[in-house]
């Protein structure tokens, strides 16, 4: 201290603390001259003593004017040292940097001014303190005082010039500091950070692209800033980096993929668009490098396909197509299970377009990696079954395509049909609303005869008789009306002459026994009219209820459609098709006379021309309506059962017995259900509560309706 006082006049020391700026400035010029003389004389010990005096007594003083004078004098001392200032920076710079956090804004201002003058003198030697200076400038960029901000901006520009000229700048040491501050929300700090990123990226010798993953997320975060200027600067910086990536021979896409995936789900539209654009470019450029990240990328793309912003949807679809075009190998880190998991999750999306693309991905994986996909079948099968209830027909059709692809193997085919029937049992609305669509599509994709045979086998042993009846009625209606099943209908028409037709007839017969009207329809298709008449004759009072009459009404109307044109034409040959007449008259006798169906069938039968009957029979006919003639017609059916209980290997007596046994089970079940309902309504509430635990529980979750139900929609019969 004494050594410094010996060279520093008292007036200079006094003026350094003066409240007037001019006096402090003149005193600082005196200090510059003193330090310059000491440096010229090589007396660096006294120089150090002077610097220490200025630091201790002035920059660290509790008096603001002392601190201001100290900062000015330190800058002046640096100017006096000129080329020899570098060796004294460890004493000069720290107290100036400490002053950046001074409570007095004027002191902070003078600190900026002092450091600016110091930096102008030492230039490149200044770099060793860069991280400390950067940290200080980052804070000052958000200073509450406008003058301080302006001073900081001037200093910032000078520091940027020095860094761009220096070959000593260490980007490796700087990046951690930058990364820590990238998520700051202050708009001034954000502008400061983007400015530095842009400047450093412009320096050829600094590889900012290699460190892009460290601050990429921060840049994307700025895209949603409330300030248009900040958003624009961040977008400009990102665009420049993306351009560099396109032109760079080696880029580590993987590290940035996770950031882009996260930002693709941002609530901000501009951020989503930028992220999905980057992902699009990465998929085009990165290709195989991104294989292990495909699942994450797909998880980001699929929701964007349904984005409300048109630009985002377009880019997302393009990216999705690029991904689908890459035929990756599971042996090369391509995770089939992860992709399936993403697709399964997106099947629950509220957006139809996303669900559709998720199904496309499952189809693609099945075609390319069938063995691997089937190992995850248990994970996706339930979701695929639930998707059959999707409100979109297009989604349901795609789901069925996937199911059909899985069901190529006999084992999986059986599982599919079993699970499908199970779902229909648990969800009546699925059967009513989508049953026809599902069954028809599966018939196209998996062979109609195969599907119907399997369904019949399952329903034959169905324990829920109510469900079995409804399901058989639905299948029968589809069989009678769908163009996709025309081949089956043609085959059934040959049941009496073709072994394949007979085999199909027998296969369907067992389950069709659950519904009298389904059996009668099957007999009409197969032209087993005598058996149809026998079935009609076997019906008892309990069978002819409202539900039965509704189904009969549907059948009568179906007989007027082109499907049964052959049957109507056969009415022109009553001698040959006696049992067809008997069957139709049997149905007519079951219909209420005032019903529309009765009038339709009666009109059709009356339309048979009189010349169809032979003259001898007509002469013997009593006067009146020719209905009386039918029972007296000769039995001359050449294509029907040959007067016995079997024909072409078909044992109709056994078939009829099978039908009657099944109908008896339905009658017993109906009586039991009615008795149970009567008992439950007659018991007091307390008794009901005691009885409930002892009631036999149904093995099926589908509770039978309390009264006959009419199915709505396409599946009514």
């Amino acid at each position: 201290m004494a050594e410094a006082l010996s060279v520093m006049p008292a007036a200079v020391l006094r003026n350094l603390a003066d409240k007037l700026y001019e006096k402090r400035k003149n005193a600082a010029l005196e200090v510059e001259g003193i330090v310059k003389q000491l440096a010229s004389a090589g007396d660096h010990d006294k120089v150090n003593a002077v610097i220490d005096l200025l630091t201790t007594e002035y920059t660290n003083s509790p008096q603001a004017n002392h601190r201001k004078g100290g900062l000015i004098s330190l800058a002046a001392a640096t100017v006096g040292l000129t080329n020899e200032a570098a060796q004294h920076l460890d004493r000069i710079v720290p107290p100036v940097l400490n002053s950046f956090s001074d409570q007095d804004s004027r002191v902070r201002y003078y600190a900026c001014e002092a450091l600016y003058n110091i930096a102008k003198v030492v230039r490149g030697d200044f770099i060793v303190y860069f991280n400390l200076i950067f940290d200080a400038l980052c804070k000052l960029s958000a200073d509450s005082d406008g003058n301080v901000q302006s001073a900081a901006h001037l200093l910032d520009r000078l520091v940027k010039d020095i860094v761009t000229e220096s070959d000593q700048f260490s980007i490796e040491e700087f990046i951690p500091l930058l990364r820590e501050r990238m998520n700051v929300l202050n708009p001034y700090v954000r502008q400061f950070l983007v400015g530095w990123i842009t400047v450093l990226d412009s320096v050829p010798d600094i590889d900012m692209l290699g460190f892009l993953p460290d601050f990429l997320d921060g840049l994307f975060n700025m895209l949603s800033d409330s300030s248009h200027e900040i958003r624009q600067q961040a977008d400009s910086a990102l665009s420049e980096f993306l351009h560099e990536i396109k032109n760079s021979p080696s880029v580590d896409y993987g590290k940035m993929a996770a950031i882009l995936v996260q930002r693709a789900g941002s609530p901000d539209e501009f951020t989503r668009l930028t992220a999905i654009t980057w992902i699009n470019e990465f998929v085009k450029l990165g290709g195989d490098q991104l294989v292990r990240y495909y699942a994450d990328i797909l998880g980001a793309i699929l929701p964007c396909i349904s984005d409300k912003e048109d630009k985002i949807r377009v880019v997302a679809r393009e990216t999705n197509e690029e991904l689908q075009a890459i035929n990756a190998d599971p042996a090369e880190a391509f995770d089939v299970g992860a992709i399936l998991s993403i697709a399964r999750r997106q099947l629950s999306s509220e957006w139809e377009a996303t669900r559709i693309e998720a199904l496309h991905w499952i189809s693609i994986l099945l075609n390319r990696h069938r063995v691997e996909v089937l190992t995850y079948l248990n994970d996706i099968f339930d979701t695929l079954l639930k998707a059959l209830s999707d409100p979109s027909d297009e989604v349901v059709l795609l789901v069925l395509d996937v199911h059909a692809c899985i069901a190529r193997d006999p084992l999986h085919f059986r599982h599919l049909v079993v699970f499908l029937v199970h779902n229909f049992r648990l969800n009546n609305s699925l059967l009513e609303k989508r049953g026809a669509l599902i069954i028809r599509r599966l018939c196209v994709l998996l062979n109609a005869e195969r599907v119907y045979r399997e369904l019949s086998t399952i329903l034959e042993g169905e324990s829920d008789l109510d469900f079995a009846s409804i399901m058989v009625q639905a299948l029968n209606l589809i069989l009678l009306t769908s163009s996709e099943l025309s081949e089956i209908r043609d085959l059934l028409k040959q049941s009496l002459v073709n072994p394949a037709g007979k085999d199909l007839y027998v296969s369907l017969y067992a389950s069709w026994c659950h519904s009298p009207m389904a059996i009668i329809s099957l007999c009409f298709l197969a032209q087993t009219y005598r058996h149809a008449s026998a079935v009609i004759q076997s019906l008892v009072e309990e069978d002819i209820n409202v539900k039965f009459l509704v189904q009969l009404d549907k059948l009568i109307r179906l007989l007027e459609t082109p499907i049964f044109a052959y049957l109507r034409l056969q009415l022109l040959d009553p001698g040959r098709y006696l049992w067809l007449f008997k069957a139709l008259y049997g149905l007519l006798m079951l219909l209420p006379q005032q019903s529309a169906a009765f009038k339709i069938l009666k009109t059709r039968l009356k339309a048979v021309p009189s010349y169809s009957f032979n003259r001898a029979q007509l002469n013997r006919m009593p006067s009146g309506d020719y209905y009386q003639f039918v029972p007296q017609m000769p039995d001359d059916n050449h294509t029907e059962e040959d007067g016995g209980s079997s024909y072409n290997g078909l044992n109709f007596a056994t078939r009829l017995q099978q039908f009657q046994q099944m109908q008896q089970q339905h009658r017993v079940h109906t009586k039991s259900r009615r008795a149970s309902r009567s008992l439950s309504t007659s018991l007091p509430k307390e008794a009901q509560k005691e009885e409930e635990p002892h009631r036999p529980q149904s093995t099926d979750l589908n509770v039978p309706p309390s009264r006959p139900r009419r199915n709505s929609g396409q599946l009514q019969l």
Side-chain angles (χ1 to χ4, degrees):
M1 180 71 70
E3 194 174 14
L5 292 174
S6 65
V7 297
M8 294 282 289
V12 172
L13 295 175
R14 184 172 60 251
N15 288 337
L16 282 176
D18 198 277
K19 64 180 180 179
L20 295 175
Y21 172 72
E22 288 298 327
K23 288 187 176 182
R24 294 197 301 271
K25 181 180 178 182
N26 290 331
L29 291 174
E30 291 287 338
V31 171
E32 178 186 339
I34 294 170
V35 171
K36 190 173 184 179
Q37 291 177 0
L38 292 173
S40 299
D43 196 348
H44 289 283
D45 290 338
K46 286 186 179 181
V47 171
N48 287 336
V50 169
I51 294 172
D52 290 342
L53 172 67
L54 295 174
T55 300
T56 305
E57 299 298 324
Y58 290 89
T59 58
N60 293 338
S61 171
Q63 300 297 321
N65 289 331
H66 280 68
R67 298 198 295 275
K68 295 174 186 175
L71 290 167
I72 296 174
S73 60
L74 284 175
T78 305
V79 174
L81 287 169
T82 59
N83 296 334
E84 299 182 19
Q87 59 184 303
H88 298 283
L89 286 179
D90 58 339
R91 280 184 162 83
I92 296 173
V93 174
V96 176
L97 292 175
N98 291 336
S99 299
F100 281 167
S101 58
D102 197 283
Q103 293 182 349
D104 190 324
S105 62
R106 295 303 298 170
V107 173
R108 297 197 299 275
Y109 177 85
Y110 283 116
C112 290
E113 184 182 71
L115 196 59
Y116 182 89
N117 291 325
I118 293 169
K120 283 178 65 177
V121 174
V122 297
R123 301 296 292 186
D125 295 328
F126 193 65
I127 293 298
V128 294
Y129 298 98
F130 174 78
N131 282 6
L132 293 173
I133 295 169
F134 180 87
D135 185 51
L137 286 173
C138 187
K139 295 173 183 176
L140 289 178
S141 64
D143 199 279
S144 58
D145 188 281
N147 291 326
V148 175
Q149 281 192 18
S150 297
H153 290 159
L154 286 173
L155 175 59
D156 181 52
R157 283 200 290 269
L158 176 61
V159 174
K160 286 175 180 173
D161 290 340
I162 293 172
V163 168
T164 56
E165 296 170 357
S166 174
D167 57 357
Q168 299 177 20
F169 175 75
S170 174
I171 185 66
E172 291 81 5
E173 295 178 5
F174 168 68
I175 289 298
L177 188 66
L178 176 64
R179 183 174 57 240
E180 290 175 6
R181 285 154 180 75
M182 284 304 294
N183 289 321
V184 174
L185 299 179
N186 187 284
Y188 298 107
V189 175
R190 284 185 161 183
Q191 282 185 308
F192 171 79
L193 294 173
V194 175
W196 268 101
I197 291 171
T198 304
V199 167
L200 292 177
D201 186 48
S202 67
V203 180
D205 295 334
I206 297 178
D207 181 23
M208 285 295 282
L209 185 60
F211 295 95
L212 182 57
D214 291 285
F215 55 87
L216 180 63
D217 188 61
L219 283 175
F220 268 94
N221 199 27
M222 295 178 190
L223 292 175
S224 58
D225 195 277
S226 58
S227 168
H228 174 73
E229 186 177 357
I230 293 175
R231 294 198 303 272
Q232 197 172 37
Q233 289 177 351
D235 180 52
S236 177
L238 286 168
S239 298
E240 182 59 32
F241 278 118
L242 185 58
H243 178 72
E244 292 176 23
I245 289 172
K246 292 179 182 178
N247 297 321
S248 177
S250 61
V251 177
D252 189 350
Y253 296 98
K255 288 184 178 180
M256 292 180 277
I259 298 171
L260 298 176
V261 165
Q262 182 182 3
R263 290 299 170 180
S266 169
D268 179 69
E269 285 186 11
F270 187 47
T271 304
R272 289 200 307 277
L273 176 59
T274 306
I276 206 71
T277 301
W278 273 61
I279 291 175
N280 178 268
E281 294 296 339
F282 274 28
V283 171
K284 292 177 180 176
L285 299 169
D288 296 339
Q289 291 187 45
L290 292 171
V291 168
R292 66 181 62 194
Y293 302 99
Y294 275 7
D296 294 333
I297 292 174
L298 184 63
I301 291 172
L302 290 180
C304 289
I305 286 175
S306 302
D307 199 278
K308 59 183 180 181
E309 176 59 42
D310 183 60
K311 292 180 181 178
I312 296 176
R313 292 198 302 272
V314 170
V315 179
R317 285 193 175 278
E318 181 183 334
T319 309
N320 186 53
E321 291 170 2
E322 291 284 346
L323 269 181
Q324 291 175 349
I326 301 174
N327 193 358
D329 189 342
E332 299 174 356
F334 180 70
D335 193 340
V336 173
I339 296 286
L340 280 174
S341 179
I342 293 294
R344 177 178 59 82
R345 186 165 68 243
Q346 293 302 327
L347 280 177
S348 302
S349 168
E350 61 179 309
W351 306 110
E352 178 184 350
T354 295
R355 300 195 299 274
I356 288 173
E357 290 307 320
L359 288 166
H360 282 152
W361 267 100
I362 296 176
S363 294
I364 289 172
L365 291 176
L366 272 169
N367 290 328
R368 294 178 182 173
H369 312 291
R370 180 178 179 82
V371 175
E372 290 82 358
V373 171
L374 292 181
T375 61
Y376 297 98
L377 188 58
N378 291 336
D379 297 333
I380 64 172
F381 200 75
D382 286 343
T383 304
L384 289 172
L385 283 176
K386 290 177 182 177
L388 292 173
S389 301
D390 196 279
S392 165
D393 284 350
E394 186 175 357
V395 171
V396 173
L397 291 174
L398 285 171
V399 172
L400 291 171
D401 288 346
V402 172
H403 277 302
C405 188
I406 294 172
R408 290 175 188 168
D409 304 327
L411 176 62
H412 292 126
F413 174 78
R414 170 74 178 176
H415 286 166
L416 169 61
V417 181
V418 168
F419 275 104
L420 190 59
V421 171
H422 178 69
N423 268 25
F424 284 149
R425 185 189 304 111
L426 298 182
N427 187 356
N428 263 344
S429 64
L430 176 63
L431 178 59
E432 293 173 0
K433 296 177 182 178
R434 289 293 171 77
L437 177 66
I438 292 171
I439 299 300
R440 290 168 61 184
R441 185 61 180 170
L442 286 180
C443 286
V444 171
L445 297 171
L446 294 173
N447 183 280
E449 182 179 347
R450 183 186 180 198
V451 171
Y452 260 70
R453 282 179 180 273
E454 193 64 44
L455 285 168
S456 180
T457 301
I458 295 170
L459 291 172
E460 181 181 354
E462 176 60 49
S463 59
D464 186 340
L465 297 181
D466 291 321
F467 166 72
S469 178
I470 293 172
M471 186 72 190
V472 166
Q473 292 165 29
L475 292 174
N476 184 62
L477 181 59
I478 297 169
L479 174 63
L480 294 177
T481 59
S482 299
S483 58
E484 294 88 346
L485 277 75
S486 60
E487 291 185 6
I488 288 187
R489 291 195 294 270
D490 292 340
L491 188 59
L492 285 170
K493 289 176 186 177
Q494 304 175 45
S495 297
L496 295 174
V497 295
N498 186 323
K502 180 198 74 174
D503 188 53
L504 177 59
Y505 177 82
V506 172
S507 176
L508 298 182
Y509 193 98
S511 59
W512 258 235
C513 286
H514 283 292
S515 169
M517 206 49 58
I519 278 291
I520 294 170
S521 302
L522 182 64
C523 290
F524 282 168
L525 268 181
Q527 303 184 67
T528 56
Y529 301 132
R530 183 171 183 174
H531 186 63
S533 178
V535 169
I536 295 169
Q537 294 293 332
S538 73
L539 297 175
V540 299
E541 178 183 348
E542 297 171 71
D543 300 327
I544 305 171
N545 50 35
V546 175
K547 187 186 301 185
F548 173 88
L549 291 175
V550 170
Q551 295 172 37
L552 179 53
D553 182 278
K554 298 288 184 181
L555 176 59
I556 298 305
R557 296 177 188 277
L558 282 172
L559 291 176
E560 296 297 314
T561 65
I563 298 294
F564 285 103
Y566 70 92
L567 182 146
R568 298 195 301 274
L569 291 172
Q570 288 172 353
L571 293 175
L572 297 176
D573 192 355
R576 187 179 183 189
Y577 297 100
L578 165 67
W579 293 105
L580 171 58
F581 272 87
K582 292 197 68 173
L584 292 176
Y585 273 106
L587 295 179
L588 187 69
M589 295 304 110
L590 296 178
L591 285 165
Q593 292 188 43
Q594 299 304 315
S595 65
F598 178 87
K599 296 174 183 177
I600 292 172
L601 182 56
K602 178 182 176 181
T603 301
R604 174 59 63 186
L605 290 172
K606 288 180 69 174
V608 178
S610 58
Y611 65 76
S612 298
F613 307 102
N614 65 59
R615 185 173 298 278
Q617 290 172 325
L618 289 174
N619 290 337
R620 292 195 301 270
M621 267 185 59
S623 61
D625 198 13
Y626 71 84
Y627 297 159
Q628 302 172 27
F629 167 74
V630 175
Q632 304 170 19
M633 295 171 75
D635 185 4
D636 185 23
N637 13 319
H638 303 295
T639 61
E640 184 56 89
E641 309 96 297
D642 192 16
S645 62
S646 64
Y647 185 86
N648 192 30
L650 284 170
N651 191 325
F652 289 102
T654 302
R655 299 276 87 79
L656 181 61
Q657 185 179 14
Q658 185 180 16
F659 169 74
Q660 291 173 327
Q661 289 174 350
M662 181 59 73
Q663 287 306 301
Q664 182 59 28
Q665 291 183 35
H666 278 269
R667 295 182 196 115
V668 172
H669 171 70
T670 302
K671 289 179 180 179
S672 174
R673 190 177 56 191
R674 289 174 180 169
S676 177
R677 283 205 306 271
S678 299
L679 180 62
S680 64
T681 54
S682 63
L683 286 173
K685 291 184 178 180
E686 293 78 5
Q688 288 184 42
K689 291 179 180 177
E690 293 176 1
E691 286 291 327
E692 283 177 359
H694 304 289
R695 291 178 186 171
Q697 299 295 315
S698 173
T699 56
D700 295 304
L701 298 178
N702 182 38
V703 181
S706 59
R707 58 185 178 185
R709 298 176 62 239
R710 291 182 61 178
N711 287 334
S712 60
Q714 300 179 45
L715 298 181
Q716 292 184 16
L717 179 60

